[in-house]
Amino acid sequence: MPYIIIIMVVNSKSYYTILEQHLNGLSDADLLKDWKMEEGENPVKEYWVGKPFVKVIITLNKESGERRYYSLEPAITEREYLVLNDIFQDLENILILKDLSLSPEVKAEILKDTYDEITKEYGIILRPDLNLKYLYYIYRDFLGYGPIDPILNDPYIEDIHCDGIGIPIYVYHKEFGNVKTYLSFREQELDHTVQALVQMCDKHISHGNPIIDATLPNGSRLQATYGMDITPRGSSFTIRKFTEDPFTPIDLMSLGTYTPEQLAYFWMAVENKMSVMVIGETASGKTTTMNALLMFIPPEEKIVSIEDTREIALMHENWVSGITRQAVGGDESEVDMYDLLKTALRQRPDYIVVGEVRGKEALTLFQAMSTGHAAYATFHAGEIQQAIYRLENSPLNVPRSMIQFLDLATIQIQWTKGGMKKRRAKNIYEIIGIDPNDRNLLINRIYTWNSYNDDYKQVEAMKKIEKISMSLGVDVDDTLKEIRKRAEFLRKLQKIGVRYYKEVTMMIHAYYRNQNEEIDEIINEGKKYGKYYKIESEN
């Protein structure tokens, strides 16, 4: 009788851990092929995705200036591949796919038992290294995402782009931007891969329904097309990855995107329920920054987030995460950002977060700001004046009288230096109000970035300090002193190597609970909280 199991994507770390049980002294030298670079190529970065099974190497061709992305997997010969292909076919015939809730360990155990039965029927005894290689590919394709699994599990990759038949897949790397990979698909392979990805999302794609926008089991966003009717170069897909370990304020400091003083000021603004908008063009790191700033929210406050793509990751229990949904057919109805925002306002949130403002939800969001809600959002624009123009005009149509309730706006850009992609906060602004004479918005630029020296300069005094001081019931000097203390606290976290988002959040929560203590005492308390909640760094 065949096994009945669910073949669902699990975290790659799960099956890497399971595979490690079968290593028996084998190393990457036994598993990875003797990889050779093409002439003129030199490695510029090497790192493991799942040691000793997957290693990433990025090369640079000095003559052409082109970078290439390689992910090295266990090497098998053509003859070994033919045997593995037969095993795959037998596994597919034996295993009936049903939607049952089984742990990754149970799925892997069933796969291993079935694999052992098949190899026993074949009457073959495999070398230990070849046996482990076969298990890797079986787990990769049954429990992972197949050929693109190593790329999807690379923490440096943000987006994956497959543009058609025989066209190399491109990835967006956090350090190097768009990079061509080693991987491409033939027509039948590409169609099969697109169908498999869509099925993982519990959806269907075909020539009659050739466009799909869906969410993969790991939270990543999938946009796919099928066939050549609407994409003449063949089926295509784009995956925008969901980051399980998001950047923190400490990361933003280490990367040079913000200074400790700037982040400490944002921290005070977030604590005192000021509204913030992160503005920038494509790939400028808007959502990354917003997620990091949200870690400053006090621990017990109610948060409601609204997104098209699941990107926000917080360690707050009192948090409702909302994701939009497209109508596929039948009795399903579409749920857009506006619907989710209306629902959010009925939940009495302390903080409202909108992934990206671009439609009719903008007016509702600014109405929420005007009634005292702390609102956070990203917005696509190159500068503050462009943002205001977009907000005031169709289809957003937000009145200027409401835009004044936005407290802070930071403008982010993507900057290239020495071939490396970096994100910088070009300008940070305060929205003061409306000039009673000409009805223009009063905007105070407090920080600006100098591209020549790659440093920041404070241009004007922070005028929202007075509003924060009134909220706290202290004078301005005390508020400035507190900002300096928090900046030093963030520097200390950076110095001692605290950067994993759960650890950073726990340290911030410890600061709230022990605010009058010295920095070292607060950090010690944060470590106690971390042990209590069993928080361990993944890095």
Side-chain angles (χ1 to χ4, degrees):
M1 182 176 179
Y3 290 111
I4 300 177
I5 70 172
I6 174 174
I7 303 299
M8 275 186 62
V9 175
V10 300
N11 191 312
S12 66
K13 294 178 183 177
S14 298
Y15 72 77
Y16 287 156
T17 302
I18 296 167
L19 282 168
E20 287 173 0
Q21 300 171 10
H22 306 286
L23 275 173
N24 296 322
L26 295 173
S27 67
D28 53 282
D30 302 308
L31 298 175
L32 300 184
K33 63 185 177 182
D34 184 16
W35 177 77
K36 294 182 180 180
M37 290 176 287
E38 295 182 7
E39 187 176 351
E41 286 187 326
N42 291 290
V44 294
K45 191 174 183 69
E46 299 182 22
Y47 53 93
W48 290 97
V49 171
K51 191 174 184 177
F53 304 102
V54 180
K55 185 178 185 181
V56 169
I57 299 179
I58 298 173
T59 65
L60 174 65
N61 189 310
K62 290 186 177 180
E63 293 184 6
S64 65
E66 181 183 64
R67 289 188 174 86
R68 292 291 298 272
Y69 177 100
Y70 299 91
S71 61
L72 309 187
E73 298 180 272
I76 56 176
T77 66
E78 184 176 350
R79 183 179 177 184
E80 291 167 348
Y81 171 78
L82 293 174
V83 175
L84 178 61
N85 192 50
D86 289 339
I87 294 173
F88 262 100
Q89 291 179 1
D90 288 339
L91 280 169
E92 288 177 343
N93 291 333
I94 292 173
L95 301 174
I96 297 175
L97 311 187
K98 294 288 183 180
D99 186 12
L100 300 177
S101 296
L102 297 176
S103 70
E105 291 75 19
V106 173
K107 299 172 196 174
E109 183 180 350
I110 293 174
L111 279 169
K112 177 68 166 57
D113 291 344
T114 310
Y115 162 76
D116 288 341
E117 290 178 10
I118 291 172
T119 54
K120 185 177 180 181
E121 289 179 6
Y122 284 2
I124 57 175
I125 299 175
L126 300 173
R127 303 187 317 270
D129 64 318
L130 182 58
N131 184 62
L132 188 59
K133 291 175 182 179
Y134 279 0
L135 278 175
Y136 167 79
Y137 285 107
I138 288 169
Y139 288 167
R140 186 199 74 173
D141 288 6
F142 278 87
L143 299 179
Y145 292 90
I148 64 171
D149 192 69
I151 303 174
L152 259 173
N153 290 304
D154 183 345
Y156 287 92
I157 299 303
E158 295 183 358
D159 302 305
I160 302 170
H161 306 274
C162 178
D163 301 324
I165 300 165
I167 302 170
I169 286 179
Y170 278 78
V171 296
Y172 189 89
H173 195 277
K174 289 179 180 178
E175 291 188 17
F176 303 105
N178 287 312
V179 184
K180 183 193 295 186
T181 74
Y182 65 96
L183 182 63
S184 64
F185 291 104
R186 293 190 291 269
E187 181 176 358
Q188 188 174 0
E189 292 174 331
L190 181 54
D191 289 346
H192 175 76
T193 299
V194 168
Q195 287 178 328
L197 288 171
V198 172
Q199 287 170 4
M200 290 175 189
C201 307
D202 292 327
K203 295 185 181 294
H204 173 71
I205 195 168
S206 64
H207 291 289
N209 182 37
I211 301 178
I212 286 292
D213 188 16
T215 302
L216 289 167
N218 69 352
S220 299
R221 194 60 173 241
L222 171 70
Q223 195 284 322
T225 66
Y226 185 74
M228 298 184 181
D229 293 340
I230 59 171
T231 47
R233 303 171 83 185
S235 299
S236 69
F237 63 85
T238 298
I239 297 174
R240 189 174 185 185
K241 285 179 57 182
F242 170 72
T243 303
E244 295 182 359
D245 180 15
F247 281 16
T248 67
I250 309 304
D251 293 319
L252 298 183
M253 289 164 48
S254 300
L255 294 169
T257 308
Y258 290 88
T259 68
E261 288 74 19
Q262 292 168 344
L263 290 169
Y265 181 47
F266 277 116
W267 185 353
M268 295 292 290
V270 170
E271 179 186 358
N272 289 278
K273 292 186 171 58
M274 291 187 174
S275 295
V276 180
M277 186 169 279
V278 183
I279 300 168
E281 296 181 342
T282 303
S284 60
K286 300 185 294 293
T287 304
T288 298
T289 291
M290 183 174 69
N291 195 94
L293 296 182
L294 294 175
M295 295 178 191
F296 292 134
I297 295 176
E300 281 79 29
E301 301 294 90
K302 173 68 175 288
I303 308 167
V304 177
S305 64
I306 300 160
E307 303 173 88
D308 276 330
T309 305
R310 183 185 166 210
E311 293 179 296
I312 295 171
L314 300 174
M315 194 194 151
H316 284 72
E317 288 185 336
N318 198 8
W319 167 39
V320 177
S321 175
I323 307 292
T324 60
R325 184 186 72 183
Q326 288 187 328
V328 177
D331 296 331
E332 285 192 9
S333 60
E334 181 176 342
V335 179
D336 61 17
M337 301 280 272
Y338 179 66
D339 297 325
L340 289 173
L341 183 55
K342 286 194 301 181
T343 301
L345 290 171
R346 300 189 188 107
Q347 299 177 43
R348 298 187 65 184
D350 297 297
Y351 294 84
I352 300 173
V353 182
V354 176
E356 182 176 351
V357 173
R358 56 175 174 264
K360 60 183 179 179
E361 72 278 356
L363 180 58
T364 304
L365 182 68
F366 276 87
Q367 286 174 335
M369 290 184 197
S370 67
T371 56
H373 290 87
Y376 298 81
T378 66
F379 194 70
H380 192 96
E383 250 303 342
I384 188 68
Q385 296 300 335
Q386 294 178 19
I388 293 170
Y389 180 83
R390 278 200 64 206
L391 286 168
E392 288 186 319
N393 289 277
S394 182
L396 307 184
N397 300 316
V398 179
R400 187 169 298 184
S401 58
M402 286 188 178
I403 297 177
Q404 68 174 320
F405 291 102
L406 176 65
D407 292 290
L408 294 170
T410 177
I411 312 297
Q412 287 199 188
I413 62 168
Q414 186 182 85
W415 179 57
T416 304
K417 182 179 182 180
M420 303 286 284
K421 302 285 186 181
K422 302 175 183 292
R423 274 90 179 226
R424 293 292 182 264
K426 184 180 178 182
N427 291 296
I428 300 176
Y429 297 96
E430 296 174 322
I431 311 300
I432 306 302
I434 294 179
D435 190 317
N437 298 318
D438 56 18
R439 303 298 297 168
N440 287 327
L441 282 170
L442 297 173
I443 300 172
N444 181 40
R445 184 174 65 164
I446 53 176
Y447 286 102
T448 189
W449 170 69
N450 184 341
S451 61
Y452 295 102
N453 300 324
D454 188 20
D455 60 9
Y456 294 93
K457 178 183 178 182
Q458 184 169 348
V459 182
E460 298 288 345
M462 296 174 286
K463 296 185 178 179
K464 292 287 181 177
I465 287 289
E466 295 180 6
K467 181 178 178 180
I468 294 173
S469 300
M470 288 180 62
S471 176
L472 295 173
V474 299
D475 60 35
V476 171
D477 288 340
D478 289 335
T479 303
L480 290 171
K481 183 179 178 181
E482 178 63 21
I483 289 175
R484 289 193 292 271
K485 180 181 178 182
R486 295 188 185 196
E488 185 59 32
F489 177 73
L490 295 174
R491 283 196 188 91
K492 188 65 179 287
L493 294 183
Q494 182 185 33
K495 183 178 179 180
I496 65 176
V498 174
R499 62 128 325 262
Y500 179 49
Y501 85 102
K502 290 186 178 180
E503 290 181 315
V504 172
T505 305
M506 190 58 67
M507 287 293 181
I508 292 170
H509 290 180
Y511 192 97
Y512 278 118
R513 296 184 174 109
N514 303 274
Q515 195 163 333
N516 295 326
E517 303 293 336
E518 295 298 323
I519 289 175
D520 288 340
E521 294 179 7
I522 296 172
I523 290 175
N524 288 333
E525 288 299 316
K527 291 177 180 178
K528 292 179 184 178
Y529 294 146
K531 291 179 181 178
Y532 177 77
Y533 286 99
K534 298 180 180 179
I535 295 172
E536 297 178 359
S537 174
E538 294 182 359
N539 300 295

